[in-house]
Amino acid sequence: MRDRDRKPKFRSARSKGRERSRDSGAKASWRGREGKADDTVILYGWHTVTAALANPKRRIRKLLLTENAARRLAEEEIDTRVTPEIVRPQLIDQRLGPDAVHQGLFAEADPLASPGIDMLPEEGIVLVLDQITDPHNVGAIMRSAAAFAVKAIVTTARHSPEATGVLAKSASGALELVPLVTVQNLARALNEMNERGFLTVGLDSQGGENLAAVTLRQPVALVLGAEGKGLRQLTRETCRVVARLDTPGEIKSLNVSNAAVLALYIGASQLGLMG
């Protein structure tokens, strides 16, 4: 496969207060639930909240617990860090809606800081998400990323879900383990990664070669496209390699979160990261 090596000049953005330059567009944090500007992150569910409580970088503002949840936390000697408010399950239902599986735990917290592209470690695997909008899918991808020790996930500031609520619940604690890098312009971010020596591999059903046959090296960035649309054209053109995931069955396309697991397994196996 031809190795496309497009390297336009790209200046690494440096942090200035909470805002970053337009070139990289990396944000220091995320907005709260439903796009609120108050930066409140909503966390609920056992794994999500206990992982946040165990993360010293996560500031907990408020913690609501049912009696059963409080008892379980005490039995497992989990430090709540703040004085919890003991409430009936219905109160948490009212805050989240009847379909949310909160298991008696609800927290409001500060967002975690978003590192810049220039802070990515030059080893292992990084995932890049090209405008994936479903919070369930992004959360599931984060959970798989934590399982495969992914160094970071790069996502777009627009056309991507907030790091709160449903996404956090679907990630099942992985939000505390895998850094999220948020950029305004994905192509520029990929160009900077190319310049820093990353092998950027776009995953597309029309890729010229099966990912399992591509010779991978560290650091590698696996780039996943949006549900339905796949990779955008400029994203495809910026990746050094565009590969596909071959499957033996009649259905050749996978849900993006399933594709992420398969790609991570192939990548980690080939790079010797499984043992």
Side-chain angles (χ1 to χ4, degrees):
M1 174 178 290
R2 182 168 59 92
D3 186 357
R4 286 180 285 187
D5 189 2
R6 297 162 55 89
K7 294 187 178 180
K9 186 175 181 61
F10 184 89
R11 288 187 177 182
S12 172
R14 299 290 178 182
S15 225
K16 185 178 182 181
R18 294 188 64 189
E19 295 184 359
R20 300 180 68 88
S21 73
R22 182 173 297 180
D23 279 341
S24 75
K27 300 191 297 181
S29 62
W30 298 270
R31 293 169 295 163
R33 184 165 58 103
E34 298 177 355
K36 293 180 181 179
D38 64 1
D39 283 351
T40 301
V41 172
I42 301 300
L43 305 171
Y44 61 91
W46 179 263
H47 294 295
T48 303
V49 174
T50 56
L53 293 174
N55 182 5
K57 296 181 180 179
R58 175 75 80 178
R59 177 177 173 267
I60 306 298
R61 301 179 185 177
K62 178 186 293 187
L63 180 62
L64 305 184
L65 302 174
T66 62
E67 289 184 358
N68 287 339
R71 187 180 304 112
R72 184 179 174 188
L73 287 173
E75 290 173 351
E76 299 194 18
E77 299 182 347
I78 296 174
D79 184 4
T80 61
R81 293 170 48 193
V82 298
T83 302
E85 181 180 349
I86 306 302
V87 300
R88 293 183 178 275
Q90 292 80 0
L91 181 60
I92 301 178
D93 291 339
Q94 291 171 8
R95 289 179 176 251
L96 297 173
D99 297 328
V101 182
H102 54 74
Q103 298 167 294
L105 299 92
F106 172 96
E108 294 181 0
D110 284 358
L112 296 170
S114 172
I117 289 293
D118 56 339
M119 296 174 65
L120 290 176
E122 295 179 1
E123 62 180 0
I125 301 174
V126 169
L127 282 179
V128 181
L129 310 184
D130 185 10
Q131 295 192 349
I132 298 176
T133 58
D134 187 329
H136 294 93
N137 278 336
V138 176
I141 289 170
M142 291 202 69
R143 186 172 182 176
S144 298
F148 282 93
V150 166
K151 300 301 182 181
I153 292 178
V154 179
T155 187
T156 52
R158 298 182 62 190
H159 305 292
S160 62
E162 302 294 340
T164 182
V166 172
L167 185 154
K169 180 63 167 65
S170 300
S172 193
L175 194 59
E176 314 300 323
L177 302 173
V178 184
L180 272 173
V181 179
T182 309
V183 299
Q184 296 288 350
N185 189 307
L186 191 62
R188 288 176 179 171
L190 286 170
N191 274 322
E192 182 175 355
M193 294 174 74
N194 286 336
E195 289 185 346
R196 293 189 61 207
F198 279 82
L199 175 62
T200 51
V201 181
L203 298 175
D204 191 281
S205 59
Q206 303 301 314
E209 191 172 355
N210 181 15
L211 178 64
V214 176
T215 301
L216 301 178
R217 59 167 176 77
Q218 300 186 52
V220 61
L222 300 176
V223 188
L224 296 158
E227 304 93 341
K229 298 183 294 183
L231 297 177
R232 290 176 293 167
Q233 181 177 348
L234 186 56
T235 303
R236 286 176 55 96
E237 293 174 351
T238 310
C239 291
R240 291 183 179 273
V241 175
V242 179
R244 65 182 186 273
L245 292 169
D246 284 345
T247 55
E250 293 296 322
I251 296 179
K252 299 301 181 183
S253 62
L254 297 172
N255 171 278
V256 66
S257 63
N258 293 330
V261 175
L262 179 55
L264 286 172
Y265 182 81
I266 292 172
S269 298
Q270 190 177 137
L271 295 172
L273 301 176
M274 296 295 290

